[in-house]
Amino acid sequence: MQIVTSAFSAEERDEVRQISSNLQVAWKKDYKPTTKIFTIGSSAIGYSDTINSSGNVTSDWNKYLYEEESSNLVSAEWERELNEPIGGIAKAQAGAKLNNTSGRYLPDYNGGTSALFTSVYLPRRPFIINAGFNYNGVDNNIPQFIGITTKAPVINERDRTVQLQGTDFINYLQNSYVDNAAIFTGLRSDQVIENLLINSGFSTSQYDLDYGINVIPFAEFNVGDRFGDIISQIVQAENGYFWQTEEGILKFQNRQAWTNSPYN
């Protein structure tokens, strides 16, 4: 796929620019607290806290050991839609198609002894999609999606491709349940959300919350309640939004955000 830019000089407008992208997948879900994933202009972002969840997945996504799959990447797609004007939780989803001509993702790859094969057919594999433009022969990619696969990769032996599908870590939160009953009185929306996130195991470096406009006089959450349902109700009452950014940070935005800098 190619695009022609128009917001530059006449010489640049005549230039055809290629879209660039890359993909990393933690097939084996190897996890090390010291692991750090690169970002544009920096090679050191990382948090120290981990979150255990069903399927042995942690939302501290940048501590996994990822395998570079960009050379096999055929296409990638992602989307997230905010539910205006109601607000609430917004979950992103993404997909990627990989070239399997080499047989890398088949059982007999490397004589059937490949460590990749022991995990490639399983769901809940963390993966990262970055995309941007190639300028002067250099790929300039920025984060577009961070999440986990929702099912085992679909392997098509006819056209020798592999299809990945997944959602961001909002899906983890939506499917987590309250372990200990809790009661809150006289707290702002963001304070209740923060308490819920902390009770879920999130650290302060993993979320960014606007000040809540609403003050909740009384709230009771019982064992077995879903965190996603609770947060959705709180955020909708604010006419605000709760989602995961492209950098993997959980974000709450109140209804006045669009009247403030930089949105105004």
Side-chain angles (χ1 to χ4, degrees), residues 35 54 90 103 136 150 189 201 203 206 212 241 252:
T35 300
S54 59
N136 285 340
T150 52
S189 297
S203 67
Q206 292 178 281
Y241 300 96
F252 164 63

Side-chain angles (χ1 to χ4, degrees), residues 12-156:
E12 288 179 319
R13 283 196 296 269
D14 293 333
E15 190 177 84
V16 176
R17 296 189 179 172
Q18 293 183 339
I19 293 177
S20 63
S21 59
N22 57 53
L23 172 73
Q24 291 89 40
V25 184
W27 294 115
K28 292 172 282 187
K29 286 200 298 188
D30 288 339
Y31 181 85
K32 291 186 178 181
T34 57
T35 300
K36 297 181 180 180
I37 299 299
F38 72 93
T39 57
I40 298 299
S42 174
S43 61
I45 61 170
Y47 311 127
S48 59
D49 296 328
T50 64
I51 303 173
N52 295 321
S53 65
S54 59
N56 194 30
V57 172
T58 172
S59 70
D60 199 5
W61 57 269
N62 59 344
K63 298 300 192 300
Y64 286 104
L65 296 180
Y66 290 86
E67 296 191 45
E68 181 63 55
E69 300 292 344
S70 301
S71 61
N72 293 321
L73 183 61
V74 176
S75 63
E77 56 188 357
W78 56 92
E79 67 174 359
R80 179 182 61 230
E81 182 177 1
L82 299 180
N83 188 15
E84 297 180 339
I86 299 174
I89 289 182
K91 179 171 60 178
Q93 58 184 357
K97 180 182 286 188
L98 297 168
N99 186 329
N100 196 28
T101 304
S102 67
R104 171 172 168 77
Y105 311 105
L106 294 177
D108 58 356
Y109 177 71
N110 198 23
T113 62
S114 170
L116 172 66
F117 171 65
T118 63
S119 56
V120 74
Y121 286 136
L122 300 177
R124 301 181 71 78
R125 307 294 107 175
F127 70 109
I128 302 171
I129 297 175
N130 299 295
F133 297 95
N134 183 289
Y135 182 69
N136 285 340
V138 178
D139 288 346
N140 295 276
N141 296 324
I142 60 176
Q144 301 292 346
F145 176 86
I146 298 166
I148 54 177
T149 58
T150 52
K151 62 180 182 179
V154 178
I155 296 179
N156 188 323

Side-chain angles (χ1 to χ4, degrees), residues 198-212:
I198 291 174
N199 289 341
S200 300
F202 286 85
S203 67
T204 56
S205 59
Q206 292 178 281
Y207 57 82
D208 179 19
L209 310 178
D210 281 355
Y211 277 92

